[in-house]
Amino acid sequence: MNDGRNGTIKQIICIKWGTKFGPEFVNRLHAMIARNITPPFRLYCFTDDGSGLHPHIAIRPLPEFAYQAPVNTRGKWPKSRLWGDLGDVTGVVLFLDLDVIVTGSLDDFFSFGDPDDTVVGLNPNTPLEKMGQTSVYRMRVGKLKPLQDIFRADPQAAADKYKYEQRFVTRNAPGGVKFWPKGWLAHFRMHCVPNFPLNYFREARIPAGTRIVIFPGNLNPPDAIAGRWSDRDDHLSPMDHLRATFDGRRREGVFKHLRHYLLPVSWVEKLWRE
């Protein structure tokens, strides 16, 4: 069996549903992978719309997984479709969110640990809790299928208890989870953007040793390129953003408004391309 390691093809998977992310996100992800991996590799995109995708991307339908979607809880629960059978995709796979930026070699993500390990990022938002971050994770296909059974039994109860799908995976993955080595992943808002007031003078940076920059939340690569905190915002000069603190234009508290300033990020524009 091809386990995706030890000299065989490196298998990467992603998921695209709905209209939030267009085909350019998948195409750029494929290009970044190609520039930062020792071949052979293959990117599989599980999607409800494969139009516009690069011909080298393997398009697969969204896996069948019938459940009542939680309506009262945040979290990327549709990712649960990937926990079970993936058709002709078997063995070890590396999952990547569509909005990551690859900044270094991906090879070690395939050789780290044991092939049967479920490996996730360590969530920096919960320093007192060892919770996984599932923007970048590795699994053996089918190993997380028991999670589908738990989730399907009462999706809203699972969502209410765990709030985020990544906490659900961390707490329930068969055999537990392991974490990527410190420094491989960088959280864009927390690790790259300078703290206030330096965010008004310095561009976000890539921490030394980073392999992948992840973009949890509403700030995505196009926003970083434009210099805005979300697609609801316009880029303002530092002085105009400071003026907006007091002239009624801000939509949040003073401290958050001051922290939520971003200069346009040149390296995101350079790296996030086909």
Side-chain angles (χ1 to χ4, degrees), residues 9-207:
I9 188 168
K10 299 177 179 73
Q11 302 182 126
I12 303 101
I13 64 172
C14 64
I15 186 169
K16 181 176 85 71
W17 73 90
T19 59
K20 180 177 180 180
F21 295 114
E24 72 277 7
F25 278 81
V26 189
N27 292 339
R28 290 174 180 183
L29 178 63
H30 180 270
M32 289 187 292
I33 293 168
R35 291 192 290 269
N36 291 280
I37 200 167
T38 302
F41 79 95
R42 195 164 200 197
L43 173 62
Y44 295 88
C45 181
F46 293 88
T47 182
D48 55 2
D49 181 5
S51 60
L53 296 187
H54 190 283
H56 289 170
I57 297 169
I59 301 170
R60 296 293 185 271
L62 290 175
E64 294 292 331
F65 178 40
Y67 67 94
Q68 186 68 39
V71 294
N72 302 321
T73 314
R74 299 171 63 187
K76 302 296 189 296
W77 293 100
K79 285 184 180 180
S80 60
R81 289 174 173 270
L82 301 179
W83 297 343
D85 178 51
L86 297 182
D88 64 342
V89 183
T90 61
V92 174
V93 295
L94 178 69
F95 171 87
L96 298 178
D97 267 347
L98 293 182
D99 55 358
V100 303
I101 301 291
V102 181
T103 60
S105 174
L106 297 176
D107 290 351
D108 289 342
F109 286 92
F110 294 90
S111 60
F112 176 77
D114 187 273
D116 282 322
D117 291 338
T118 300
V119 192
V120 298
L122 183 62
N123 196 320
N125 279 310
T126 56
L128 301 181
E129 174 191 5
K130 270 202 161 184
M131 183 170 79
Q133 215 295 332
T134 56
S135 290
V136 180
Y137 72 91
R138 198 187 74 211
M139 66 176 177
R140 183 176 289 280
V141 173
K143 186 173 181 180
L144 299 183
K145 190 176 187 306
L147 274 65
Q148 286 185 329
D149 299 331
I150 298 171
F151 184 58
R152 185 191 290 112
D154 194 339
Q156 190 61 60
D160 289 343
K161 179 177 180 180
Y162 296 100
K163 191 173 181 181
Y164 297 105
E165 116 282 337
Q166 51 202 19
R167 180 179 283 118
F168 180 75
V169 171
T170 305
R171 299 288 174 261
N172 295 283
V177 299
K178 292 187 177 178
F179 297 97
W180 299 118
K182 184 177 180 180
W184 284 17
L185 305 183
H187 186 300
F188 179 76
R189 286 180 288 115
M190 298 186 70
H191 297 146
C192 301
V193 178
N195 292 326
F196 174 80
L198 296 179
N199 54 325
Y200 288 81
F201 307 101
R202 294 183 186 172
E203 184 179 318
R205 65 182 183 87
I206 305 172

